[in-house]
């Protein structure tokens, strides 16, 4: 398997040929899932004592398995939060795998860590964080949020120890009632209590509501989480007013910007995110609105030393790493082994420049406004609320939940697009999440035509 032979050369050539073809598709197929029974019939038997060979395995994936996986980079994929990696990022993801780089320590991956840090420092500056801010690329928003909250609790524990204060019987984290499910998950994993705080009529978490929660729960609260773009609506909390409250009371402020924080790269959107510069930690997912492949979340600390204090693992075989003053990504999150998942974004940014990124993000925001206006013009359709970022939520008047689901199924069967029903205050609704620069007004209006 490891020797350089004619067989291994052919294997690499077959795989690279398929990867090149898929990366350069001009008309990306949407594809759709099939039942487990159907795959059991068509795809079973690939794992054998002698192997089936590279050509057969590649063909099985290309012709049988891949067509049952949705192409999230399809222009008509506007469900959940899509991903649309640039071609440069896709290509360099192959290089990351081929290079066999361990991205957990400076000792083993100095150049890769340096390049990732170039991106993290650029993002920190864009978010208004001070010189010295930095972090690490982790798997996704769930791990990013968990790692940040672990660091926040550790900081609270150390502060209490220094001041001779006893820790509370139960730690608590305050978040919006509209916070991403990963915050509740992180609280469960950490065995702490999540305190959901109601949003205002505008759907945003505000400082006065957070102040009331802190009054009620006191020193048991070790962190407050605000959202920089909710998944369902793309709503940005009133970060500035919350930041005032947390700074006054010495409580860690974390910004979950997994989807929306990338919008800060667009100059006209910066006021929407006022207060981010005061955060103790932030996350943003490059595999969403920064056009990187799965999976990558940028976790950035205001003071990386807080992350290192919470996450550095100690063992005899790690002493050679942890006793050095180097920047070790494994010290900054819930992880040890890691691939250099920030490199595809670094390469794409280096190739195309930041202005292209700003323009591509702006495309999604502008298109959301245009398609929202089109929805308002169409009989039988209405907006649930005006878009703030690039998520557009709307309804088809008179439809039942079953109607929405049947329509969604037909849309995918016909390979027109992928839009799944969502809900808001008990009402079934539809939503477009616009990320892909190849998603156009024509694509979205064509989907609207099927609702007539």
């Amino acid at each position: 398997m490891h020797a350089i032979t004619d067989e291994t050369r052919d294997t690499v050539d077959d795989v690279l040929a398929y990867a090149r073809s898929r990366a350069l598709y001009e008309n990306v197929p949407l594809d759709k899932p099939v039942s487990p029974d159907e795959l059991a019939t068509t795809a079973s038997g690939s794992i054998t004592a002698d192997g089936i060979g590279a050509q057969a395995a590649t063909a099985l994936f290309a012709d049988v398995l891949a067509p049952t996986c949705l192409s999230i980079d399809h222009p008509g994929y506007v469900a959940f939060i899509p991903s649309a990696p640039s071609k440069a990022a896709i290509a360099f993801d192959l290089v990351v795998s081929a290079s066999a780089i361990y991205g957990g320590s400076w000792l083993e991956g100095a150049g890769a860590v340096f390049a990732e840090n170039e991106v993290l420092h650029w993002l920190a500056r864009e978010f208004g964080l001070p010189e010295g801010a930095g972090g690490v690329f982790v798997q996704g928003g769930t791990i990013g949020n968990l790692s940040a909250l672990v660091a926040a609790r550790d900081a609270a524990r150390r502060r209490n120890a220094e001041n001779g204060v006893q820790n509370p019987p139960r730690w608590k984290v305050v978040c919006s009632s509209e916070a991403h499910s990963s915050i509740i998950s992180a609280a469960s994993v950490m065995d702490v209590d999540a305190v959901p705080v109601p949003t205002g009529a505008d759907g945003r978490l505000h400082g006065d509501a957070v102040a009331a929660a802190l009054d009620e729960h006191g020193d048991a609260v070790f962190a407050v989480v605000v959202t920089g773009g909710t998944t369902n609506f793309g709503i940005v909390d009133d970060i500035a007013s919350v930041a005032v409250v947390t700074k006054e009371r010495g409580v860690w402020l974390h910004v979950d910007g997994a989807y929306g924080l990338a919008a800060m790269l667009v100059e006209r959107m910066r006021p929407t995110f006022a207060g981010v510069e005061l955060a103790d930690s932030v996350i943003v997912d490059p595999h969403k609105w920064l056009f990187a492949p799965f999976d990558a979340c940028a976790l950035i600390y205001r003071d990386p030393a807080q992350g290192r204090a919470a996450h550095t693992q100690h063992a005899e075989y790690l002493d050679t790493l942890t006793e050095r003053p180097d920047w070790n990504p494994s010290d900054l999150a819930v992880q040890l082994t890691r691939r250099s998942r920030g490199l595809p974004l670094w390469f794409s940014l280096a190739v195309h420049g930041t202005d292209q990124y700003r323009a591509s993000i702006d495309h999604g925001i502008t298109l959301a406004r245009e398609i929202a206006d089109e929805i308002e013009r169409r009989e039988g359709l209405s907006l649930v609320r005006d878009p703030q970022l690039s998520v557009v939520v709307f309804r088809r008047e008179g439809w039942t939940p079953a109607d929405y689901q049947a329509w969604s199924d037909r849309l995918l069967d016909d390979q027109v697009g992928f839009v799944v029903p969502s809900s808001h205050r008990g009402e079934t609704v539809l939503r477009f999440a616009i990320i892909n620069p190849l998603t156009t007004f024509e694509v979205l209006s064509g989907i609207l035509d099927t609702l007539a």
Side-chain angles (χ1 to χ4, degrees), residues 59-236:
L60 176 61
F61 180 78
D63 300 335
V64 179
L65 299 175
T68 70
C69 303
L70 288 174
S71 297
I72 299 180
D73 55 344
H74 186 281
Y77 187 112
V78 286
F80 308 117
I81 300 294
S83 178
S86 70
K87 302 306 181 185
I90 291 171
F92 208 75
D93 204 30
L94 294 175
V95 173
V96 174
S97 294
S99 299
I101 297 170
Y102 173 69
S105 73
W106 184 272
L107 175 64
E108 295 161 287
V113 175
F114 179 87
E116 288 183 316
N117 285 346
E118 289 282 280
V119 179
L120 291 164
H121 294 155
W122 169 68
L123 288 172
R125 290 193 298 271
E126 292 290 327
F127 301 152
L129 295 172
E131 191 72 24
V136 59
F137 287 97
V138 296
Q139 176 184 347
T142 296
I143 300 300
N145 285 329
L146 173 61
S147 298
L149 292 178
V150 167
R153 183 179 60 179
D154 181 76
R157 284 172 169 169
R158 286 186 286 106
R159 183 172 61 248
N160 283 351
E162 290 168 2
N163 296 330
V165 175
Q166 189 173 4
N167 290 328
R170 293 281 296 178
W171 287 106
K172 300 183 180 183
V173 56
V174 168
C175 61
S176 159
S177 57
E178 299 295 324
H180 191 266
S181 57
S182 64
I183 302 302
I184 306 303
S185 175
S188 177
V189 169
M190 296 171 66
D191 194 26
V192 302
D193 294 332
V195 180
V197 175
T199 60
D202 57 1
R204 306 169 73 200
L205 181 65
H206 293 276
D208 55 353
V210 170
L214 295 180
D215 287 342
E216 180 180 354
H217 298 283
D219 293 338
V221 178
F222 67 90
V224 173
V225 179
V226 291
T227 306
T230 59
T231 300
N232 209 28
F233 274 92
I235 296 171
V236 179

Side-chain angles (χ1 to χ4, degrees), residues 87 229 249 260 370 373 381 430 447:
K87 302 306 181 185
R249 307 197 185 200
E370 292 174 348
D373 292 341
L381 302 181
L430 295 173
I447 292 174

Side-chain angles (χ1 to χ4, degrees), residues 231-246:
T231 300
N232 209 28
F233 274 92
I235 296 171
V236 179
D237 285 337
D238 183 3
I239 301 171
S241 70
V242 175
V244 170
V245 173
T246 57

